[in-house]
Amino acid sequence: MKAALRTDVSIDKIKDYLMSSVDTTSPVEVEKVGRYLKHIEIYRRMERTVKKEGVSIMVKNATQTFVKSHPLLNEMSKVNASIMNIERTFHFIDEENKGNPKYSADDLI
């Protein structure tokens, strides 16, 4: 049996990877890295709470009692979407071509 793939990479490792992959002279790129890491921390906090409390909760309303999904599941989905959106906006640098931008046929007029 294969060992489970670990996906809980430390925030420091993610930060180091991103900071070595983006233009750190750009305050915008550096700020995006900070926002990205903050979103991951928020997501992980919510994930721990859901793991502790369960994916469903018991709600009591006067004489009614019912089970519903944990409210953080919806929030986790929103935070995950934000993480993915930030990822799409990163401008990663290519080590070989630092300072020499690559152009494609789409750049032609």
Side-chain angles (χ1 to χ4, degrees):
M1 180 178 241
K2 285 185 177 181
L5 176 64
R6 289 194 55 142
T7 58
D8 55 342
V9 179
S10 77
I11 293 292
D12 288 335
K13 281 187 179 181
I14 296 170
K15 179 182 179 184
D16 291 345
Y17 172 78
L18 288 173
M19 293 302 281
S20 70
S21 301
V22 300
D23 178 6
T24 55
T25 63
S26 168
V28 173
E29 290 300 306
V30 173
E31 193 271 338
K32 282 192 273 186
V33 170
R35 252 188 299 141
Y36 183 82
L37 297 173
K38 207 43 113 175
H39 276 75
I40 290 175
E41 289 171 347
I42 290 167
Y43 184 89
R44 288 181 177 179
R45 252 185 266 130
M46 289 189 291
E47 190 175 42
R48 282 191 299 273
T49 301
V50 169
K51 187 174 185 178
K52 179 180 166 190
E53 297 176 3
V55 294
S56 59
I57 61 170
M58 187 72 70
V59 177
K60 188 168 183 160
N61 184 6
T63 59
Q64 297 177 325
T65 303
F66 54 95
V67 176
K68 70 179 217 174
S69 65
H70 199 294
L72 282 180
L73 293 175
N74 193 30
E75 296 307 311
M76 287 172 68
S77 180
K78 291 177 186 176
V79 171
N80 189 57
S82 293
I83 289 169
M84 302 306 273
N85 285 335
I86 294 169
E87 278 180 10
R88 283 193 273 281
T89 68
F90 282 125
H91 296 287
F92 293 111
I93 53 176
D94 181 7
E95 281 299 316
E96 283 181 28
N97 298 314
K98 267 189 183 175
N100 299 322
K102 284 186 179 178
Y103 296 102
S104 70
D106 294 336
D107 296 321
L108 298 174
I109 297 178

